[in-house]
Amino acid sequence: MRTVRFKLVALVLACVLPAIVGAVLRSRAAEHDMLDQVERRVNASNRRFGEELEEYQANAGLALTLAQHAVKFQQALAAHDAAGADTMVKRLAEVYQQRIILASDAQGVVLARGNGDRGPVSLGADSSPAFADLLAGKPLTGMIDVRFTDSPASGYAMVSAVPVRVDGVQVGAIALLTPVTAAYLEYLEPKLSADLSIRVNEKVVAACSDHPAPDLESHAGVAVLKEVGDKIFALKTFRPEALQRPDMEVEVTATRDITDLRDQTRHALYTQLGGLGIVLAVVLALALRFASRMGGAVRSISDAAEKVKGGQYVSAPVIRTGDELENLALTFNAMVEGLKERDRLRETFGRYVTRQVADHLMKIGNMSLGGELVPVTVLFSDIRGFTSISETMEPRALLDFLN
């Protein structure tokens, strides 16, 4: 019974399909919520980066103010006293251990240096064009390109620098620099919860050492998702106003690899679908087995009915299912027995009366003993010499003779 099987399979699928669709929708919703959370964190990276810059400048400003107004330090710079200048620089270096500290005279010649020898040779234009403003008496903050002593090529550094004056006359300058390197960005990474890369004039100048895709950028204004191979990233590119200079366009890209989060969500979906698939397979197997038994029972009754229709009174095999199908087979077999009994009675009556009379009697069913008044035509006949004939014939032969 293909129709029965089809209907049962369709019923099972109709019951399981909503669960499958629900699992997919829940997984999509969970993945969407997860991506939203990541995007919100990446979107907030420019705010946290701005806060970090403000804190950086505030700390540097405190140190510079202290040095700028230290009389002995002012006198040391005015007298080109390297030892006197070094005293102040060493104090600052003990507090700001991650920054290069330089003190120079009014021409930019470095008199004292703190925290390593990597810093620029001088605070003059030969080390960075931006230092020209510093020697002209202007404070310098933000990000500048600078030539370091350990590299022939220019690099970039975060700088806070102020001129030092005595009686209104500039006698030197003091600067705090932090090279913009992978180490600096890795220091910021935990605070921004993202991998960082910095571009200057559309060129990547620094990135976290383990950054999976430092060349990615986005100018959408909000966090976007980008796929690279089999990985997916949430990223946002922003332009910190504090780092912009007339000749420099600085962009910071915060990137977060969310491949693992996406894979976890999909793994959960595949696990749910796998479980539903097992349930579906078991239910389908049971449904097909039940359909096969039900189809066999119905088919046997249908075959028997075709034979009865052709005049063969056969019984249908009774399959012990304990339900309506078993009752149907028993009822069918009882009907066949009734048909057999009716034909046997009709055949018996036919031996004594005409077929029309037998059919009439079978049709009437129960008859009253008083008879029934009907108009009839009666023919009386006699056979000449019947008595003599019957005396000489056997009963069976006589019956055949009369019929």
Side-chain angles (χ1 to χ4, degrees):
M1 297 297 289
R2 294 180 181 177
T3 302
V4 174
R5 291 194 183 97
F6 175 78
K7 289 181 178 179
L8 282 176
V9 170
L11 179 62
V12 171
L13 291 177
C15 294
V16 176
L17 186 59
I20 296 177
V21 173
V24 173
L25 292 178
R26 287 193 300 272
S27 176
R28 289 290 178 85
E31 183 174 352
H32 183 72
D33 291 341
M34 177 268 297
L35 295 179
D36 282 346
Q37 292 178 9
V38 173
E39 288 178 8
R40 285 195 295 270
R41 293 178 182 176
V42 174
N43 274 326
S45 58
N46 59 337
R47 175 181 56 81
R48 292 195 293 267
F49 189 82
E51 293 173 352
E52 183 63 25
L53 286 180
E54 291 178 1
E55 183 180 355
Y56 177 92
Q57 298 294 355
N59 291 337
L62 179 62
L64 294 176
T65 301
L66 176 64
Q68 193 178 27
H69 294 86
V71 176
K72 290 184 179 181
F73 181 64
Q74 295 173 350
Q75 294 173 349
L77 294 184
H80 299 276
D81 180 6
D86 190 58
T87 302
M88 174 60 70
V89 169
K90 285 183 177 180
R91 289 179 183 175
L92 295 179
E94 291 176 358
V95 177
Y96 302 98
Q97 298 180 4
Q98 304 301 321
R99 304 184 190 185
I100 299 172
I101 303 171
L102 301 175
S104 74
D105 60 15
Q107 287 71 44
V109 177
V110 175
L111 300 176
R113 184 187 303 269
N115 293 332
D117 299 328
R118 188 179 179 233
V121 175
S122 70
L123 293 183
D126 57 334
S127 293
S128 174
F131 287 148
D133 292 337
L134 177 63
L135 297 181
K138 298 178 182 179
L140 180 63
T141 60
M143 181 172 163
I144 62 172
D145 60 329
V146 60
R147 188 180 301 276
F148 294 101
T149 56
D150 60 351
S151 175
S154 295
Y156 294 88
M158 306 292 293
V159 61
S160 293
V162 293
V164 178
R165 296 183 177 89
V166 175
D167 298 328
V169 178
Q170 183 171 348
V171 296
I174 183 168
L176 277 69
L177 296 95
T178 301
V180 178
T181 60
Y184 173 64
L185 296 182
E186 287 166 4
Y187 163 76
L188 296 177
E189 180 182 350
K191 299 182 179 182
L192 274 66
S193 301
D195 293 312
L196 299 176
S197 63
I198 295 182
R199 311 170 82 91
V200 176
N201 298 333
E202 298 297 326
K203 179 182 178 181
V204 177
V205 298
C208 295
S209 59
D210 58 349
H211 199 303
D215 293 329
L216 288 179
E217 62 176 331
S218 169
H219 297 286
V222 295
V224 298
L225 301 180
K226 287 190 176 183
E227 292 192 24
V228 179
D230 59 348
K231 292 184 174 296
I232 182 170
F233 302 94
L235 63 126
K236 180 182 180 181
T237 299
F238 51 93
R239 301 175 68 251
E241 292 299 327
L243 301 184
Q244 306 306 314
R245 299 183 63 81
D247 59 338
M248 288 173 45
E249 181 182 14
V250 181
E251 295 178 321
V252 180
T253 299
T255 306
R256 184 164 183 177
D257 186 349
I258 59 174
T259 305
D260 291 342
L261 297 177
R262 181 196 62 181
D263 292 345
Q264 290 174 8
T265 304
R266 292 185 177 180
H267 178 72
L269 171 62
Y270 297 152
T271 301
Q272 294 183 45
L273 292 180
L276 289 174
I278 294 175
V279 173
L280 176 61
V282 172
V283 173
L284 278 177
L286 294 176
L288 290 175
R289 182 173 182 274
F290 174 73
S292 178
R293 292 192 63 189
M294 183 173 66
V298 174
R299 186 166 48 250
S300 63
I301 295 174
S302 177
D303 293 343
E306 287 294 328
K307 292 181 180 180
V308 171
K309 181 180 178 181
Q312 303 179 46
Y313 295 119
V314 296
S315 298
V318 179
I319 300 177
R320 301 300 178 181
T321 59
D323 54 18
E324 289 82 356
L325 289 176
E326 182 178 347
N327 292 336
L328 177 62
L330 293 174
T331 302
F332 177 84
N333 291 340
M335 179 195 70
V336 171
E337 292 300 323
L339 291 176
K340 287 182 181 179
E341 182 65 17
R342 187 194 67 175
D343 283 3
R344 187 182 66 79
L345 292 175
R346 180 180 295 172
E347 182 180 354
T348 301
F349 274 124
R351 295 179 180 178
Y352 304 102
V353 296
T354 63
R355 182 176 183 83
Q356 292 79 2
V357 174
D359 289 342
H360 179 71
L361 293 176
M362 295 293 296
K363 183 178 180 181
I364 293 175
N366 295 329
M367 297 178 58
S368 61
L369 295 178
E372 181 180 355
L373 294 178
V374 295
V376 298
T377 300
V378 180
L379 173 65
F380 291 95
S381 64
D382 190 16
I383 299 176
R384 180 181 298 175
F386 178 73
T387 302
S388 301
I389 294 173
S390 62
E391 289 177 349
T392 60
M393 296 181 67
E394 293 294 328
R396 176 59 64 181
L398 179 63
L399 181 62
D400 292 340
F401 172 73
L402 291 175
N403 293 329

